[in-house]
Amino acid sequence: MVYLHGFADIHAASADWMPFHHELLNRFSVVAPAHPGCAQSDERDDIDIIDDVVFHYVELFDALELERFSLVGSGVGGWIAAEMAVRYPERVIALVLIGATGLYVPGVPISDLFWYAQPDDGVAYNGLRHLLFAHADTPIGCELFPDSREDLDLELRRFKMFRFANTIGFKPPYLYNRKLRGRLRRYRGPSLVLWGAEDHLVPLAHAEAYATTLPRAHLELLDGVGHSVVAEQPTEALQRVQTFLLGQKP
């Protein structure tokens, strides 16, 4: 299984495997790379649009001799996963999109994450936590995005993730590819669209757009959960993902 991370996630807000990822290892062989320029991964000067990221990962999977695999992506990682699935559908056994960005939905834009990337009054991340979690004061949100600037390693990891997202999704189109929705029909394998019902970053209309356009998609919502599904509800997210993937034939 290949896992592509989001913002409140491994390689971004956490240096270590989080409970969700640890539990996945009990049932799957997991490859969870850092996006280019994130964590300890080197930046690439030739990456400035989403297509470049897809080719980066294709080269990585070729080097690892991963011919076919289940593909799970969260947030921006979900966008990358969807783009890969429509380009190389024969390599993706099953697709899981968790709060994925990537789609243009008229009248229902993705929220302006970059506006809140800098703390309020120089210290508080209430706005950012509101976008990434069901509530700005949720414990896991305060742990991953605390109102302080004392942990330089944490600040640097988050900065690298925002820099990566900025590279592929800040200038219009904003965290989406206008052509992606029309290409989703190319992936005809089984898909799970897993979403937090309280996602303030990527509205539920985007979940419904993925679920109704992917030919074999199933939509599941988690009540009381925001954008960062794997951080906020790791046990429930694991159960949904695991049940779906174990039900597929390689």
Side-chain angles (χ1 to χ4, degrees):
M1 192 200 82
V2 171
Y3 178 81
L4 302 178
H5 66 89
F7 290 101
D9 211 335
I10 186 175
H11 305 314
S14 175
D16 302 317
W17 292 74
M18 300 168 71
F20 172 81
H21 311 101
H22 275 297
E23 292 299 322
L24 280 178
L25 291 171
N26 291 330
R27 299 301 297 268
F28 304 98
S29 175
V30 181
V31 176
H35 301 318
C38 296
Q40 302 303 311
S41 177
D42 293 333
E43 289 190 357
R44 290 183 53 167
D45 294 336
D46 59 341
I47 289 180
D48 57 17
I49 58 175
I50 190 66
D51 284 0
D52 300 330
V53 182
V54 173
F55 280 111
H56 163 82
Y57 276 119
V58 169
E59 292 170 356
L60 173 63
F61 300 151
D62 286 345
L64 295 175
E65 298 183 348
L66 294 176
E67 293 299 324
R68 299 192 72 225
F69 44 84
S70 296
L71 183 57
V72 180
S74 179
V76 172
W79 176 16
I80 300 168
E83 297 276 6
M84 177 162 294
V86 301
R87 287 166 173 77
Y88 302 94
E90 70 282 356
R91 300 185 73 162
V92 181
I93 299 169
L95 177 67
V96 179
L97 303 179
I98 306 173
T101 63
L103 294 185
Y104 171 72
V105 179
V108 192
I110 297 170
S111 298
D112 190 347
L113 178 76
F114 300 107
W115 178 263
Y116 295 100
Q118 296 299 319
D120 305 329
D121 299 324
V123 293
Y125 282 101
N126 291 319
L128 180 60
R129 289 196 299 265
H130 172 75
L131 288 186
L132 295 181
F133 302 92
H135 305 286
D137 60 352
T138 186
I140 187 63
C142 293
E143 176 185 337
L144 296 177
F145 295 87
D147 291 331
S148 68
R149 306 183 70 87
E150 297 178 0
D151 190 333
L152 296 181
D153 289 337
L154 175 59
E155 289 284 337
L156 184 58
R157 282 195 305 275
R158 292 199 307 241
F159 170 79
K160 288 181 176 181
M161 181 60 195
F162 283 123
R163 179 178 170 85
F164 168 74
N166 176 80
T167 298
I168 63 171
F170 178 72
K171 56 189 176 184
Y174 177 75
L175 286 176
Y176 66 82
N177 176 3
R178 190 180 287 267
K179 297 179 180 180
L180 176 58
R181 189 170 182 177
R183 295 171 175 169
L184 290 177
R185 57 183 172 75
R186 287 182 43 80
Y187 179 69
R188 306 194 66 82
S191 306
L192 171 63
V193 179
L194 183 61
W195 226 264
E198 304 299 324
D199 193 328
H200 305 137
L201 177 63
V202 189
L204 292 182
H206 293 244
E208 294 164 354
Y210 271 119
T212 56
T213 310
L214 284 162
R216 294 175 58 194
H218 173 61
L219 172 62
E220 295 188 18
L221 300 180
L222 296 182
D223 292 334
V225 181
H227 176 72
S228 306
V229 173
V230 302
E232 291 182 83
Q233 282 289 345
T235 301
E236 186 67 18
L238 174 74
Q239 189 273 327
R240 304 291 182 99
V241 172
Q242 183 171 275
T243 298
F244 171 73
L245 292 181
L246 292 177
Q248 312 307 320
K249 294 181 179 180

